[in-house]
Amino acid sequence: MAPIDYDERIPNNVSLAADRRLLRALEDWQPKFLEWWHDMGPEGFQSKDVYLRTAVSVDPKGWAQFGYVKMPEYRWGIFLAEPEADRRINFGDHQGQPAWQDVPGEYRGTLRRLIVTQGDTEPASVEQQRHLGRTCPSLYDLRNLFQVNVEEGRHLWAMVYLLDAHFGRDGREESEALLQRRSGDHDKPRILGAFNEKTPDWLSFFMFCFFTDRDGKYQLASLAESGFDPLSRTCRFMLTEEAHHMFVGESGVGRIVQRACELMREHKTDDVRKHGGIDLPTMQKYINFHCSVSLDLFGSEVSTNAANFYTAGLKGRFEETKKTDDHRLKDGLYPVIGLDGDKIVARQEAALVSLNERLRDDYVADCQRGVNRWNEIIKSHGIDFTLTLPHRAFRRAIGTFAEVRVSPDGRVVSQAEWDARHRDWLPTEEDAAYVGSLMKPVTERGKMAGWIAPPARGVNSQAEDFEYVRLS
Ligand code: BYC
């Protein structure tokens, strides 16, 4: 496999120099990407040195090199995981055939759509987070935000590479369109709902990294099973970076929970707002919001699209190759929840059309593990409070439950009850205003905003007062 060549304009391990046509397409796209990054990337810090991690090779030891970089000079490149010798298609109608190195003509449109949908989320999240630098709780967090942002930028490069390398003129047009849609824009919004929501404060950012990036993990893991080998290898490498984003989310929320608990103990009160903390009931409302938005990203419970993606060998299940069934699922059943009047009931559905729900199940179990770790923090302070995930039918906009109102504990409720209670379940304007009022930048080395505890350890084992971003 080609090593990464950093002297090239576009670092890569795909022997780009040998493919003049592709190289030209990407070199043509690069200034447009940089223009987008200047216009829509992190606001106000573009000329600062940031202590960032850059991929220098794709093997487990070498993909993280730390050093100061100005974000527009970050070496966004194209890195695919190592090829697997004699890789086969592991599921669907083409099971057992050699994995495709080129796009099969019959699946061209479907594959392009999957890649565009995935690609669209990456710049969207950078757009959503662009103003957060101005209110960072610490230099450590500021640096983590920028790390996430540059890596989302690289994930966009990863999808654009696939489009330009494998989809000809259509692919190049889609690559351009990825830079033209805008998160939350009325006329040209991003494709998926969650990526048009606002990320107005750092609590929302940490929640987004925990819940929405975790959807990314599960979607990428399913695409990593793809019979289209370049997509599989691209996603496999992206997953190594995704793990850091979820770490930022889980540890960020955990540190806010910890600070709330410390304030509760210190002042012997549940009302930590008086002392500049974010109270646990407010944390619960933010969980309810971000979890429900992210659950929508898995699509409808019963989806023929998902069945077709699978049968065609384009998108597998989470850990497809570890499963021991026939990997075709033509006869299997899977329990899917649905509505029976005003009751939520489980039904057996054909396994093939239930794949979105199955992936959502894997996702919910993973989220629950993170929530359990937050609850451990609460318990360790001797406080009697449990954070929970909302029921998966709560506040849904996609799928069966989009038509009904459901409480966080999973009861179908009347519109009147929803109107009376939703302020207890979801962040209100007052909650958002309170959280917003805490968002004052803390940029002194080693200092931390009062609403969040310091991290357990520094990035790359750096000292507490390390200058993660050089602001002067
Ligand atoms: N919003 O059969 P259905 C990440 C559409 S995040 C708006 O239920 P399907 C990241 C759907 O397109 C990971 N529309 O759904 C995280 C379809 O339209 P058509 C992103 C939606 O197709 C943080 C119709 O509704 N990765 O990486 O089985 C930071 C019926 O659809 C939504 C991917 O998305 C929605 N939420 O599955 C940065 C992977 N849901 O056909 C990055 C690629 C559905 O009627 N995408 N619709 O026109 C996919 O695998 C699938 O497209 C989906 C939807 C899972 C999204």
Side-chain angles (χ1 to χ4, degrees), residues 113-114 117-118 121-122 125 152 191-193 195 208 212-213 215-216 219 223 242 296-300 303 305-306 309 315 356 398:
R113 187 174 133 201
L114 278 172
T117 308
Q118 177 63 48
T121 63
E122 317 290 359
S125 67
E152 300 299 7
I191 297 171
L192 298 173
F195 295 90
F208 181 97
T212 309
D213 277 280
D215 165 60
Q219 298 295 342
L223 294 174
E242 206 66 41
D296 273 340
L297 291 171
F298 291 81
S300 309
S303 165
N305 281 344
F309 299 156
K315 183 179 173 191
N356 285 346
I398 298 281

Side-chain angles (χ1 to χ4, degrees), residues 26 42 153 155 236 248 353 456:
L26 289 169
H155 291 180
R236 267 187 275 148
V248 168
V353 293

Side-chain angles (χ1 to χ4, degrees), residues 2 27 30 38 150 178 203 238-239 261 279 302 307 326 329 449 453:
E27 284 185 348
Q30 190 175 36
H38 274 289
V150 293
L178 284 168
L203 174 56
M238 287 165 76
L239 278 165
C261 294
D279 50 292
V302 172
D326 70 355
L329 309 181

Side-chain angles (χ1 to χ4, degrees), residues 6-64:
Y6 268 88
D7 295 330
E8 284 191 45
R9 263 178 73 185
I10 304 169
N12 70 89
N13 69 350
V14 294
S15 305
L16 206 52
D19 186 341
R20 303 307 301 172
R21 191 199 57 76
L22 174 59
L23 183 62
R24 261 204 309 279
L26 289 169
E27 284 185 348
D28 183 50
W29 187 80
Q30 190 175 36
K32 296 172 192 158
F33 168 80
L34 282 173
E35 198 181 319
W36 167 82
W37 180 269
H38 274 289
D39 290 350
M40 297 311 295
E43 224 176 56
F45 294 88
Q46 303 273 2
S47 60
K48 305 297 181 198
D49 285 326
V50 186
Y51 186 67
L52 291 176
R53 178 182 73 175
T54 308
V56 292
S57 75
V58 295
D59 55 79
K61 282 199 200 114
W63 64 276

